[in-house]
Amino acid sequence: MNKSSGSIRDQVLKPLEEAGLQSFHFRTWLTAGMGFFTDAYDLFIIGVVTTLLKPLWHLTTLDLMILNSTALFSAVLGALIFGRLMDRVGRKAVYGIEAILLTAGALLSAFSSNFLMLVVFRFIVGLGVGGDYPMSGVIMSEYSNRKRRGFLVNAVFAMQGFGLLVGPAVAALLLSSGMATDVVWRVMLGLGAIPAAAVILLRRRIAETPHYALGVKGDVKESAEIVQQLTHQTVDVQGTVNELPKSWTVLFTNRRFLLTLFGTAFSWMFLDMAFYGNSVSSSLVMKALQPHGTLIGDTLTSALIFLVAAVPGYWVSAFTVDRIGRKFIQGMGFLVMALAYATLWLAPGISSHVAEFLIIYAISYFFIEFGPNSTTFVFPSEVFPVTVRGWGFGISASAGKFGAAIATFLFPLLLKDLKLSGTMGILAGISLLGFILTTLVLPEPKGKTLREASGEHLLENAQTDAVDGMSFSHV
């Protein structure tokens, strides 16, 4: 009997795609999610650290801009490196290395004795953060099922919400502890090593994904064994499959993949320009809003916004993304962000009314999370073929981190020159661009198998494969 490569691949992966949520899904979620907890903790805490270091090390505005953005600039590089590596040598071979970088960078940062040392160690942290995006996103996607893939990948990213909450809580606790300032900032940075270190061993032990074993290695037997082990369903398939093109140029020579890459990369960049500028510089936003407020008070205000707006937003997105779709959530989120920022811009007097400003600011945060901050992570884990999935995700994430780095670098200067209302006007324009791009370019992967959502069939050789007697069953 003759069966095409595509048919064999679909048959091998069908039990995984149709399986209900099982324990291995949640183990993978926890293993992957702790990296994003660390990322978010670090995202918030560096803004407090630089505020503390400014008088201690006599930092200039340029120094603050560099410290706030260094890890984000190196994350651009980390996403590209790990995205390409995971396609070339496998998911299993490199998973966990990014967590080692995160752990080492956080610990070394805590022992920095001068500005240059801290910049170097923050660069190491950024490499780990950048690498974590394609690694964890793709691995979770390739272990997921068809109906709940969006939930599982979104849930990995939603761990960022807890990091955003824990960051200011830890900062407020340490700031009120009476501990010396020179010790406080070191403890803040060093604590970031704990969650990443906790999952290094789990990540190094994770099995290769069946999608990679089948799609990149062309190993039907290995993939079937992994699927059987995960789902406890018998998978009996004999045969061979044609090799898929592995060159990175696939993303740039196929019109569909190139257009999709344009959409995932630039929508992520627009999102991160708004999100990271606000989050890393949240202490500056609070200071611009309440010039006479204390650092502890500003930190607790940020924590309250994260608690009532950001954290729920992540999980509302996770529980609805498979029902209402990635594209709708992302477009809606960008549009509400644009309206919220435009309100703060066009009614500059609102910044003198703290309660009103914070309500609108919190609404923007909710729809960042129940919106593009979640879906820009989900999209690239689904819409690229397995042979270049890491690369496509890596390019998208690096574009996002580049936008984040630029925004974080410029945000203190924008607040100084354009004030709070003018800065919000720029964020409104960026968010509107994200809405337009999402609407015009991105596909909807909801409800499709990973092979269908990625357009992997476009890479398959039309030639059928000879199969020495193929049987398939799942019990």
Side-chain angles (χ1 to χ4, degrees), residues 236-359:
D236 182 16
V237 179
Q238 295 83 38
T240 59
V241 293
N242 294 331
E243 287 192 4
L244 299 176
K246 298 180 177 66
S247 172
W248 61 271
T249 59
V250 163
L251 286 176
F252 304 98
T253 55
N254 181 288
R255 185 177 181 275
R256 168 177 168 165
F257 300 147
L258 180 60
L259 189 62
T260 300
L261 181 62
F262 181 83
T264 57
F266 280 93
S267 60
W268 200 335
M269 184 176 75
F270 293 146
L271 175 277
D272 274 6
M273 290 177 77
F275 176 60
Y276 276 75
N278 256 333
S279 298
V280 174
S281 299
S282 60
S283 59
L284 297 179
V285 172
M286 294 302 118
K287 180 59 66 177
L289 183 63
Q290 304 177 92
H292 303 296
T294 65
L295 181 56
I296 294 178
D298 293 343
T299 300
L300 289 174
T301 301
S302 295
L304 181 62
I305 291 173
F306 296 151
L307 176 62
V308 301
V311 174
Y314 282 105
W315 290 99
V316 171
S317 177
F319 284 107
T320 60
V321 69
D322 288 312
R323 290 198 292 271
I324 63 179
R326 292 76 159 139
K327 186 168 183 172
F328 177 83
I329 291 176
Q330 182 161 307
M332 174 193 63
F334 268 130
L335 187 58
V336 175
M337 287 166 59
L339 291 173
Y341 294 140
T343 301
L344 298 176
W345 167 46
L346 296 173
I350 202 171
S351 61
S352 62
H353 299 83
V354 176
E356 289 86 343
F357 180 94
L358 289 178
I359 289 172

Side-chain angles (χ1 to χ4, degrees), residues 167-184:
V170 168
L173 182 64
L174 291 173
L175 288 170
S176 60
S177 68
M179 195 181 299
T181 303
D182 191 50
V183 177
V184 167

Side-chain angles (χ1 to χ4, degrees), residues 76-380:
V76 173
L77 185 61
L80 291 173
I81 291 173
F82 280 89
R84 189 62 185 140
L85 274 177
M86 68 186 298
D87 285 339
R88 292 295 301 273
V89 301
R91 296 16 174 172
K92 176 179 174 59
V94 292
Y95 199 35
I97 296 175
E98 74 297 321
I100 293 172
L101 290 173
L102 271 170
T103 302
L107 288 175
L108 290 170
S109 295
F111 291 97
S112 300
S113 59
N114 56 57
F115 174 78
L116 182 59
M117 284 182 66
L118 185 53
V119 168
V120 171
F121 296 144
R122 292 289 299 168
F123 187 88
I124 295 173
V125 169
L127 289 176
V129 168
D132 200 29
Y133 276 76
M135 290 298 312
S136 292
V138 168
I139 284 175
M140 188 72 258
S141 181
E142 293 183 351
Y143 271 119
S144 297
N145 57 29
R146 174 177 61 85
K147 293 182 179 179
R148 304 306 301 276
R149 187 175 62 246
F151 164 73
L152 288 166
V153 177
N154 206 146
V156 167
F157 194 69
M159 291 294 285
Q160 191 181 76
F162 295 121
L164 280 176
L165 188 59
V166 169
V170 168
L173 182 64
L174 291 173
L175 288 170
S176 60
S177 68
M179 195 181 299
T181 303
D182 191 50
V183 177
V184 167
W185 72 264
R186 297 179 187 278
V187 174
M188 287 179 180
L189 291 179
L191 287 175
I194 296 175
V199 294
I200 290 174
L201 189 59
L202 289 174
R203 289 188 173 193
R204 293 304 296 154
R205 287 180 173 176
I206 202 165
E208 187 57 86
T209 72
H211 283 272
Y212 186 88
L214 185 63
V216 180
K217 297 167 66 177
D219 194 327
V220 175
K221 181 180 179 182
E222 179 185 357
S223 181
E225 288 175 350
I226 297 171
V227 171
Q228 184 168 306
Q229 181 181 14
L230 292 174
T231 65
H232 305 294
Q233 298 184 48
T234 301
V235 180
D236 182 16
V237 179
Q238 295 83 38
T240 59
V241 293
N242 294 331
E243 287 192 4
L244 299 176
K246 298 180 177 66
S247 172
W248 61 271
T249 59
V250 163
L251 286 176
F252 304 98
T253 55
N254 181 288
R255 185 177 181 275
R256 168 177 168 165
F257 300 147
L258 180 60
L259 189 62
T260 300
L261 181 62
F262 181 83
T264 57
F266 280 93
S267 60
W268 200 335
M269 184 176 75
F270 293 146
L271 175 277
D272 274 6
M273 290 177 77
F275 176 60
Y276 276 75
N278 256 333
S279 298
V280 174
S281 299
S282 60
S283 59
L284 297 179
V285 172
M286 294 302 118
K287 180 59 66 177
L289 183 63
Q290 304 177 92
H292 303 296
T294 65
L295 181 56
I296 294 178
D298 293 343
T299 300
L300 289 174
T301 301
S302 295
L304 181 62
I305 291 173
F306 296 151
L307 176 62
V308 301
V311 174
Y314 282 105
W315 290 99
V316 171
S317 177
F319 284 107
T320 60
V321 69
D322 288 312
R323 290 198 292 271
I324 63 179
R326 292 76 159 139
K327 186 168 183 172
F328 177 83
I329 291 176
Q330 182 161 307
M332 174 193 63
F334 268 130
L335 187 58
V336 175
M337 287 166 59
L339 291 173
Y341 294 140
T343 301
L344 298 176
W345 167 46
L346 296 173
I350 202 171
S351 61
S352 62
H353 299 83
V354 176
E356 289 86 343
F357 180 94
L358 289 178
I359 289 172
I360 297 174
Y361 192 64
I363 290 172
S364 75
Y365 252 106
F366 177 81
F367 282 98
I368 284 174
E369 315 311 346
F370 179 37
N373 195 35
S374 296
T375 53
T376 52
F377 181 79
V378 177
F379 263 118

